[in-house]
Amino acid sequence: MKNTRRLKRMARAKRNRVEGLSLTSLMDVFTILVFFLLVNQSVGELVEPPKEIKLPDSVVDVMPRQTVVMMVSEKQVLIQGVPVVSYDEVLNSQSSVVEPIRVSLQKQRGNVIGVSAESIAKGNEITIMAHRTVPFKVLKILMSSCTSAGYSSISLAVNQKASQNQ
């Protein structure tokens, strides 16, 4: 008698049991993954120049890394979006190093997120975003100011266009 009651109870439990997977924890994992991807999609993205800076065109294969950004418009020089000196001041400079730029860049050393200790040891990297009409004389003064502040790797930002082989 005990055995039959037990068998009936087991049969009833088996009938009422829902077969399949519980998707709740799986959906939680996918939600976290989607959120992570949305938040981190901008890492390594291109830095968009302001409207007043028109970059020159070039064939570029390598995406830029996250660095200190110097923007040079026809009116002023900005470092990390903060105005430092006017364009005319750099253009008319008699020295090969512009002191306000050097001081500002030295303050920026080590403050950039994503810069490794190896990168700091060999010198920080900087990207110069200059308007396409900026003469090389000005770029040379800016690059000298960068190297005097300890930035050994200088990149010039350009617009990517189709490769010349196509």
Side-chain angles (χ1 to χ4, degrees):
M1 177 118 170
K2 274 187 173 182
N3 243 355
T4 58
R5 210 177 314 159
R6 183 171 177 240
L7 288 173
K8 286 181 185 178
R9 197 173 358 129
M10 286 175 59
R12 198 174 334 122
K14 197 173 188 178
R15 256 185 281 132
N16 293 338
R17 188 174 9 166
V18 177
E19 295 293 322
L21 295 173
S22 173
L23 296 179
T24 306
S25 59
L26 188 61
M27 288 177 62
D28 289 344
V29 170
F30 280 127
T31 303
I32 292 169
L33 181 63
V34 167
F35 181 71
F36 175 78
L37 291 173
L38 287 174
V39 168
N40 291 314
Q41 77 179 8
S42 66
V43 174
E45 289 285 320
L46 293 174
V47 178
E48 288 295 321
K51 293 176 187 171
E52 64 267 7
I53 297 178
K54 302 275 190 251
L55 297 176
D57 294 329
S58 176
V59 178
V60 181
D61 294 331
V62 181
M63 296 293 285
R65 290 177 299 282
Q66 190 170 4
T67 63
V68 173
V69 177
M70 178 188 296
M71 290 184 259
V72 185
S73 70
E74 294 173 316
K75 296 177 184 170
Q76 61 186 350
V77 177
L78 298 95
I79 297 175
Q80 294 296 94
V82 178
V84 179
V85 295
S86 71
Y87 172 78
D88 293 330
E89 208 173 317
V90 176
L91 185 62
N92 300 325
S93 174
Q94 298 300 318
S95 172
S96 65
V97 174
V98 179
E99 195 60 27
I101 292 175
R102 188 185 67 76
V103 170
S104 180
L105 286 173
Q106 284 181 330
K107 288 180 185 176
Q108 290 293 326
R109 281 186 62 108
N111 292 339
V112 179
I113 297 172
V115 175
S116 65
E118 175 187 308
S119 173
I120 291 172
K122 69 178 182 181
N124 284 345
E125 299 178 28
I126 186 165
T127 301
I128 299 176
M129 253 186 224
H131 192 277
R132 62 177 64 174
T133 60
V134 172
F136 183 72
K137 173 188 173 188
V138 173
L139 290 176
K140 186 176 176 183
I141 293 170
L142 293 173
M143 289 189 280
S144 294
S145 300
C146 293
T147 53
S148 72
Y151 290 83
S152 59
S153 180
I154 301 170
S155 302
L156 297 175
V158 293
N159 286 326
Q160 185 174 9
K161 65 179 187 177
S163 75
Q164 294 175 348
N165 297 338
Q166 294 178 355

